[in-house]
Structure formats: structure tokens, C-alpha cells
Amino acid sequence: MNREIFFRAASEYGTPLYLYDLGEIERRIKRAKDTLKSLDFKIFFAMKANSNPYLLKFIHAYGIGADAVSVNEYKMALFAGFNTGEIIVNGNGKSLEDLEFYIAQNPLCINVDSKEEIAKFGNKNAKIALRINPDVNPQTHPHISTGLKENKFGMDFETAKEVIKTLPSNLKMVGLHCHIGSQITKIDPFIEAFSSIEKFVRSQGIKLEFLNVGGGWGIDYKKDGTEMDLDGYRKIVVPFLSTLDMPIYFELGRFITASAGYLVSKVTEVKRNSYKNFVILDASMADLIRPALYDAYHEIEILNDGEEMIADIGGRICESGDIFARSRKIKIPNPGDLAVIHDAGSYGYSMASNYNLSLKPAEVAFDGEKLILIRKREKFEDILNLCLEDEDENI
Ligand code: LLP
């Protein structure tokens, strides 16, 4: 994205702020569709990656459904214009109240995470898919792996067999589901997972309306070419999935929005001690927690044209872990310079918090010409309001 857009956005809306390039979201959707084009497929956007309603509407316009993981995500999908028949429900440990809400909505499908969840439906009718945990190593960060037997998600094949055998007649099993992890770059874990599911389907002789293979497509955070092997996916995984002879559903999150999002912040201080240089930003782990939580790499660009130095880049939170990058080569900044954190469009704002009473940043979209404010910056009053008694005077 052109530097001038970052300057414009920062001066109009202040920092820190999330800026989204709509053109990039469009390109990512096209790449995904192009990879899958020889397949009977449908993509659902994993809203946990980014649940801004303006972006959801934008994504929906490309014929993409929604994958909601909470009642609030579900309501947001409806608000953004998705029909119930375009929404898939996910999530482990659903409460009875959550399930009641979903059942009344009659979504495309509710993905059932466990044998225990089946009982929670009582005698109500619902279309379900069983989430299979195929015990496959997705070769990604352990905190975002979900398809190993030690992970809390889904059910193993033995349990699924039992569930199928004893399924009450009010529940219609329309599909199977699996999601083995996130930020996956190799195709082998997918092949391993899908082959074992294929064997299971054949051995059980079950008829399904679809197979939902989840998401997990990784992106090139390091800008070194390491990303989901789309070519391999198209040449090897897609032909394999075609042999299953049923529609294949995808729940992509990161792949669609990550590279379209930037966290635009300002350098507040350049601090040197005898041991290290530190660059402190007005953004923090409260705005983007991925580096602190997963040691995730995000490219950080200082918008000036000076000399370079090595520094740790941190945020304004009182916590040693509030570091975006360690020993990173960057342009020597001056306080007030913009620092742009790349690939922040997935699991950025959606994981933001109010730690240190940080206020959540504004969100702005760029449509190739103009900037559009798509979520206002949070205000202190928004937080305080939640703490007031009903009869308290409003501030
Ligand atoms: N489907 C299910 C059932 C999921 O649990 C997830 C993500 C997705 C789809 C979408 O996965 P994606 O295509 O975005 O990889 N906060 C972490 C990522 C957690 C992913 C959780 N589940 C991060 O910032 O890396």
C-alpha cells in the first residue's frame, strides 16, 4: 500500500488504528477460489479472524458464507447480511443457551464437537456435522494446532463411530468437519487428515451432503515465500478431494484478511541503554497480541528514509512481554514517525483487549480511493458506562 495512505489515515483518524486494503481482500478471495476452481466447493469466512461488519459485508458479496463460533458472531453475521442458510456454527463447550439459540436459527449446520454435546440437543431437530479430530500434526505453532489427540477439539474416530451408531433421529448428520490448525504452510498434514477421514467415511458407509475441511491456510508473514503451498494444494489436495464426490466446505480466516490489514501506530520514544535500543510505539499487545502470545513475526516498517539500526520494538503496556519484535533491523525513527505493522488483518482487532485500560483502536478501510471509517475508536466513556449502576448519572 502506498505510504501516503498511511499518513492520510493517521492524520485523519489518529493512531493506533487498523487500516484494511479492500483490494487485497478481493485478491485473496480470488486466489482461494482459483485454487479450488476444479472442485465443487464453498468458502465460509472464519469470523474469529475479523468480525468487523463492514468487512463481513464486503466478503459476503463474493458469495462467501460465515463460520461463527459464538452467539455474538452469529448475530454479527446476520447483521452483516448473511442468511442463516449461509452460516456454519462452530465451537467447543457450547452452553445449553447457546445451543438453543442456534437450533432456533436453523443454520446451515452446527458442528458438534463432542459426544457429550449430542445430549444437549434434547429432542430438538438440527442439522449437524461431527467434528473429527484426526490426530494429525499440522506442523505449526503448538498454540494454534487443533487436530492432535491432545488438543481439546473434536472427537476421535472411535467416538465418532459410536455417535453415529447412537444418533437420535431428531439430529440429521449432514456432514463431517475437521480443522487441524492454523498458519499451515505444507500440504502433507491436510492430505494425512483428509485421507483418514475418507477411509472413515467409506468404512462407515455413510452418506454425507458435504465434507467441511476447515481452514488453516498460512500466509507469508516473513515475506520470504513461506506460505500455504497453493500450487501443491491445487495439484494434489484438490484432485484428492474431488474423488470424494461431494461438495467440500472451507472455513478460511487468516488467508482472506491477514495481509489486507495494517496496524498503524506512532513512535512515542526511542530509548537507548548501554545494552540495547528500544523503540516504543503507541500501539501495544492490547491492540495486537500475536507477537506476545505466539512469538509471532510481523513485519514492521518505520515510515522514514533514514539510516538503519537494530532495536527491540515494544508497546506502551507495563508488561515485559509487550514486544512486537526483538533485535529487528529498522530505520532509525524519530518520535512521531509512523510505524506500520503488517499482516494484522486477521486475529488483530478481534483479539484486542482493554489491558491497562487501553482503548480499542479505530478501524478504517481503503477502497482504492477513499478512506472509510468502519469502526470508531473506543472511548473511555464506553468502558466506564459498563461500570455504572443503572441509576448512576451518565458521565
Ligand atoms: N475453522 C475453525 C474450526 C477454527 O477453529 C479456525 C481457527 C478456523 C476455521 C480458521 O482458521 P484460519 O484459516 O484463520 O487459520 N489466534 C491465532 C489463530 C487461532 C485460530 C483458531 N481457529 C493466531 O493469531 O494465529
Side-chain angles (χ1 to χ4, degrees):
M1 187 130 80
N2 193 316
R3 269 190 182 193
E4 182 253 336
I5 309 299
F6 295 120
F7 288 119
R8 236 168 77 191
S11 89
E12 264 180 61
Y13 301 103
T15 56
L17 109 135
Y18 274 97
L19 180 61
Y20 301 101
D21 177 357
L22 298 179
E24 173 67 3
I25 296 182
E26 184 181 12
R27 287 190 288 279
R28 303 297 289 188
I29 293 174
K30 288 204 167 128
R31 265 184 88 190
K33 286 187 174 176
D34 196 48
T35 303
L36 303 173
K37 69 180 176 220
S38 62
L39 201 59
D40 180 4
F41 73 96
K42 182 161 172 78
I43 299 174
F44 297 80
F45 179 61
M47 293 175 62
K48 61 178 83 66
N50 194 314
S51 48
N52 183 291
Y54 182 95
L55 299 182
L56 294 176
K57 273 183 203 150
F58 183 83
I59 291 167
H60 184 215
Y62 290 87
I64 289 182
D67 150 24
V69 79
S70 68
V71 165
N72 289 337
E73 281 195 0
Y74 197 104
K75 289 180 180 169
M76 192 60 107
L78 293 178
F79 174 77
F82 292 85
N83 303 314
T84 53
E86 299 171 295
I87 308 176
I88 285 177
V89 171
N90 261 304
N92 75 111
K94 300 179 193 75
S95 71
L96 285 173
E97 293 74 23
D98 291 354
L99 264 181
E100 228 162 75
F101 171 88
Y102 297 137
I103 292 166
Q105 285 287 324
N106 190 23
L108 174 59
C109 164
I110 300 175
N111 290 341
V112 171
D113 188 72
S114 65
K115 182 173 78 188
E116 291 72 12
E117 192 176 319
I118 295 283
K120 296 188 197 167
F121 283 84
N123 57 8
K124 302 215 177 72
N125 295 328
K127 294 183 298 250
I128 62 161
L130 304 186
R131 176 164 180 172
I132 303 289
N133 180 329
D135 192 22
V136 161
N137 183 355
Q139 302 168 34
T140 185
H141 191 288
H143 288 180
I144 51 176
S145 134
T146 51
L148 277 167
K149 63 175 183 291
E150 62 258 38
N151 298 135
K152 68 172 176 168
F153 299 101
M155 54 189 96
D156 55 37
F157 287 113
E158 276 312 301
T159 311
K161 228 187 253 179
E162 200 186 316
V163 170
I164 292 170
K165 231 190 272 163
T166 55
L167 201 66
S169 58
N170 53 306
L171 298 182
K172 180 161 191 247
M173 190 177 79
V174 286
L176 289 179
H177 171 250
C178 82
H179 169 79
I180 57 173
S182 202
Q183 184 53 19
I184 300 170
T185 54
K186 299 196 173 71
I187 59 169
D188 318 16
F190 289 114
I191 295 175
E192 201 184 328
F194 304 162
S195 322
S196 56
I197 289 180
E198 186 243 7
K199 273 194 207 101
F200 178 74
V201 172
R202 295 208 194 283
S203 74
Q204 294 301 295
I206 41 180
K207 265 258 148 277
L208 301 173
E209 291 175 18
F210 61 82
L211 175 67
N212 179 343
V213 295
W217 293 14
I219 68 138
D220 188 8
Y221 284 107
K222 293 201 169 145
K223 319 277 186 206
D224 63 357
T226 313
E227 60 179 338
M228 178 65 208
D229 173 10
L230 288 185
D231 210 38
Y233 207 94
R234 188 168 43 83
K235 289 188 184 139
I236 299 169
V237 184
V238 166
F240 174 78
L241 290 172
S242 305
T243 64
L244 301 183
D245 257 348
M246 60 177 131
I248 308 292
Y249 291 175
F250 293 83
E251 299 168 342
L252 301 182
R254 186 187 321 266
F255 187 81
I256 310 264
T257 49
S259 59
Y262 300 86
L263 177 57
V264 182
S265 70
K266 219 169 249 165
V267 174
T268 53
E269 197 167 304
V270 181
K271 177 171 166 177
R272 296 185 171 83
N273 65 21
S274 47
Y275 177 62
K276 256 187 177 176
N277 298 319
F278 293 95
V279 172
I280 309 297
L281 311 182
D282 65 0
S284 75
M285 65 190 283
D287 308 306
L288 176 68
I289 200 173
R290 303 194 67 258
L293 198 57
Y294 316 117
D295 213 8
Y297 183 99
H298 284 261
E299 184 173 300
I300 302 176
E301 194 186 350
I302 305 285
L303 300 192
N304 78 20
D305 296 313
E307 302 286 298
E308 288 185 323
M309 71 170 183
I310 305 281
D312 280 13
I313 304 166
R316 60 188 145 67
I317 295 280
C318 293
E319 174 110 9
S320 306
D322 183 21
I323 294 289
F324 288 117
R326 291 177 202 280
S327 304
R328 188 71 69 81
K329 195 193 248 185
I330 47 163
K331 301 275 183 208
I332 302 173
N334 295 307
D337 281 351
L338 290 187
V340 176
I341 306 182
H342 288 232
D343 302 310
S346 292
Y347 309 107
Y349 191 99
S350 63
M351 293 180 80
S353 78
N354 290 120
Y355 189 35
N356 281 201
L357 279 186
S358 300
L359 302 174
K360 294 201 188 147
E363 292 188 291
V364 172
F366 178 63
D367 70 359
E369 274 175 33
K370 46 182 196 317
L371 294 167
I372 308 153
L373 181 64
I374 59 172
R375 189 183 329 237
K376 294 176 204 130
R377 183 178 303 286
E378 198 173 31
K379 295 197 289 292
F380 175 65
E381 289 76 5
D382 297 329
I383 296 177
L384 191 55
N385 263 330
L386 297 174
C387 311
L388 296 178
E389 302 259 350
D390 284 345
E391 61 271 18
D392 278 354
E393 277 277 286
N394 223 332
I395 35 165

